[in-house]
Amino acid sequence: MIIHFDQEKQAWYTESQEEGLTLGTLPLLPAGEKPLTEGTVFLTGMRGNEAGPVIAVLTGGHPSKPFSGDELLYRTLHEEACAQGGVVAVVPISDISGIDSMTGYVHLENGGWTPVPIGSPHVIYNRVPARKVEKSEAFLTIRQAARDAEIPFFNEAFLTKLIIDKTLRGDPELAEFLPCTEKLESREQFMRWAKSRDAFLLKISSGSRGRGIYLIKKSASGFLSLQSRKGTLAPVSAKGCWRFIESAISSRTFLLQDYIALKQHQGRKFDFRLLLHQNQNGWMCSGVGIRQAGQGQVTTHSMYGGDLLTPENTDIDPAPVIELALRAASLFSPSFTELSMDIGCDEHNRLWLFDINSKPMIFDEHAIRLKGASNLLSICHEKAGFA
C-alpha cells in the first residue's frame, strides 16, 4: 500500500478509498481525488487493516542536529524499507513522551529529515549510541513499556567485554578460541602479568571502536612500553606503568588479555569482522569483512588508518570463521537480533574470538551494508507479523 504524510494537515493518508485503515495505531485517511505528493511517500505491507511495519530506530539527541548516531545506517534502512515496505523513523529518546505517542524523523527524497507522528511502533531497534543513555530513566522506561506492550525491542543493551568473556567461557569448546583474560583487580596481579609475559593487552571493559585498548610490551631490558591508538609512551618500569594506569582503573573496569600475534598481509596484521542477524530460524551471517591494521596501530579499525582486504588477500577459508561466529552468537539472549564479531587468525592458523558488539558499526563494504539492512528489515516484518 502507498501512504503519505501531509505536513500541512499533520495526518497520514492512503491512496485506498477503504475506511478503517490504520498505520499502526494511527488512522489512515482516504486521499480522495488528491494525488499523493512526493517527499513523504511510503510503501507498506498490510496486516489486516493495518499498514506497516513502523520501525522506530531509537537513538540519542544532538545539540545541532535532529538526532545523533550513524546517519548512513539510518538512510540505508530507509532505502531497504522502500524496497520491502515499511516506515523507518529515527526517534531521539529525549523526544519520547510515551510508547503509544512517538514522533520520529523520516527521510525525504531531497536528503533531509522531517518529524512525523508514528504512534506506537511495531518494532523498536535500539541504536542508542552511549552507555550512559541506556542507564537513564527515560531509556529504562521505554524498554519496560515495550516489554509490557509486547513490542519487539531489538538489542536491549550494550555488551561489555567482561560479560562477553563470561558468556563465551560457559561453552567449554568455545572457550578454546578465547585468549586468556582476567579482570584487573590489583597491583600484584598486574605485576604478575608484566613479569610472565613479553606482551599483553589492557582493555576497558566498556570500550568500543578500538578505544580503551592498550598494548603493553616488554623490552629486553625489562622496561614496559604502553601503546594505544594515540601513540606510545616512553618505556618505564612495571611499577611506573602501574602508577600511570592506577588512577584510571579506580573508576572503570579493565581487563588483562593475552596478546595474539595475528597473520599479516604485506607486513600488517589483519582480522575478520562478521555481521550476524537472528531470525526465527536462528543466526545467519550477513557478511564477512577483513580489516588490516594501519601502520603501527594496535587495532585494525579503518578509522585509525586501517585498510579493507578481500578474501583473495588471505589464505584463510572463511567457512570456519563463520561457523565459530554463529556458535558464539547462539549463547546470547534471543533479544539480540544483530551482532558483529572480531575474529583473528594467528601465525599458526588458530582462530581467536576477540570481541562481540551489540551495536555494530556500519560496514564499509557496500554489499555487506545492503545485505545487513535487507536481513534486518526482513526480521522486522517477521517479528511484527507482516511477513
Side-chain angles (χ1 to χ4, degrees):
M1 173 177 285
I2 303 296
I3 65 172
H4 165 70
F5 182 74
D6 190 306
Q7 292 283 359
E8 181 179 346
K9 295 183 179 179
Q10 289 290 294
W12 287 95
Y13 287 85
T14 173
E15 63 181 359
S16 172
Q17 300 305 307
E18 185 179 349
E19 296 185 354
L21 300 179
T22 64
L23 174 67
T25 55
L26 300 177
L28 277 175
L29 306 177
E33 300 299 323
K34 179 182 177 181
L36 298 182
T37 60
E38 296 183 356
T40 50
V41 177
F42 303 89
L43 170 70
T44 69
M46 293 298 296
R47 186 180 68 181
N49 290 334
E50 189 176 354
V54 178
I55 303 158
V57 182
L58 200 61
T59 188
H62 193 279
S64 59
K65 300 189 298 184
F67 46 77
S68 62
D70 195 328
E71 192 170 331
L72 176 58
L73 169 64
Y74 307 153
R75 290 200 308 269
T76 304
L77 292 175
H78 164 78
E79 291 164 3
E80 185 59 34
C82 290
Q84 291 194 33
V87 177
V88 171
V90 182
V91 182
I93 195 167
S94 56
D95 292 357
I96 300 175
S97 59
I99 194 74
D100 56 354
S101 56
M102 287 190 183
T103 294
Y105 290 86
V106 296
H107 195 253
L108 302 175
E109 289 184 354
N110 65 10
W113 298 84
T114 190
V116 301
I118 59 171
S120 180
H122 296 106
V123 174
I124 297 176
Y125 176 37
N126 176 19
R127 291 296 303 190
V128 169
R131 294 175 187 271
K132 63 180 180 180
V133 177
E134 285 195 340
K135 297 177 182 178
S136 68
E137 182 178 352
F139 176 85
L140 297 175
T141 298
I142 288 299
R143 189 173 66 182
Q144 186 58 51
R147 290 172 179 168
D148 294 342
E150 298 184 343
I151 297 173
F153 193 97
F154 291 0
N155 296 357
E156 62 181 24
F158 279 102
L159 293 169
T160 67
K161 291 175 173 54
L162 185 60
I163 289 176
I164 293 166
D165 189 71
K166 288 182 177 179
T167 301
L168 297 178
R169 289 190 191 280
D171 183 327
E173 292 186 15
L174 199 58
E176 297 180 3
F177 296 92
L178 306 178
C180 178
T181 304
E182 294 180 7
K183 180 182 177 183
L184 177 55
E185 298 184 292
S186 69
R187 175 183 180 277
E188 292 72 25
Q189 179 191 20
F190 178 83
M191 299 302 286
R192 284 198 305 272
W193 275 66
K195 182 178 180 180
S196 63
R197 292 163 168 83
D198 292 330
F200 60 97
L201 296 172
L202 180 67
K203 294 183 173 183
I204 298 176
S205 179
S206 59
S208 63
R209 302 189 177 191
R211 296 187 291 261
I213 299 179
Y214 305 88
L215 172 60
I216 299 175
K217 299 180 73 173
K218 187 193 303 181
S219 67
S221 63
F223 280 72
L224 303 180
S225 63
L226 191 148
Q227 180 186 354
S228 72
R229 61 187 175 90
K230 296 181 179 180
T232 303
L233 294 178
V236 295
S237 66
K239 291 180 180 179
C241 188
W242 171 256
R243 284 195 296 270
F244 179 79
I245 65 174
E246 185 176 15
S247 60
I249 70 169
S250 64
S251 59
R252 309 186 74 167
T253 299
F254 277 79
L255 304 179
L256 298 168
Q257 186 174 89
D258 273 347
Y259 174 71
I260 306 297
L262 296 177
K263 276 198 167 186
Q264 297 186 356
H265 173 70
Q266 297 181 345
R268 288 187 287 154
K269 63 185 178 183
F270 63 87
D271 62 13
F272 294 85
R273 300 289 165 81
L274 296 94
L275 182 61
L276 309 175
H277 289 93
Q278 181 180 207
N279 63 14
Q280 62 184 0
N281 297 318
W283 285 96
M284 57 185 165
C285 181
S286 296
V288 181
I290 305 175
R291 301 288 181 271
Q292 182 181 33
Q295 194 67 43
Q297 286 292 323
V298 177
T299 70
T300 60
H301 291 80
S302 57
M303 67 176 66
Y304 306 133
D307 293 318
L308 307 183
L309 298 181
T310 64
E312 290 73 29
N313 299 129
T314 75
D315 59 355
I316 303 172
D317 180 5
V321 181
I322 295 172
E323 182 181 354
L324 173 59
L326 293 175
R327 176 160 185 165
S330 70
L331 298 180
F332 288 84
S333 163
S335 68
F336 290 104
T337 303
E338 178 180 52
L339 294 170
S340 68
M341 296 195 189
D342 300 352
I343 296 176
C345 181
D346 68 17
E347 297 165 338
H348 304 289
N349 293 319
R350 180 175 177 179
L351 295 179
W352 297 92
L353 203 167
F354 294 123
D355 201 7
I356 299 178
N357 302 284
S358 61
K359 305 282 184 72
M361 294 171 59
I362 193 163
F363 275 60
D364 296 306
E365 294 89 347
H366 183 67
I368 298 178
R369 283 205 305 272
L370 294 185
K371 184 62 175 178
S374 175
N375 284 339
L376 189 64
L377 262 293
S378 295
I379 295 167
C380 288
H381 278 253
E382 176 186 285
K383 296 281 189 180
F386 284 85

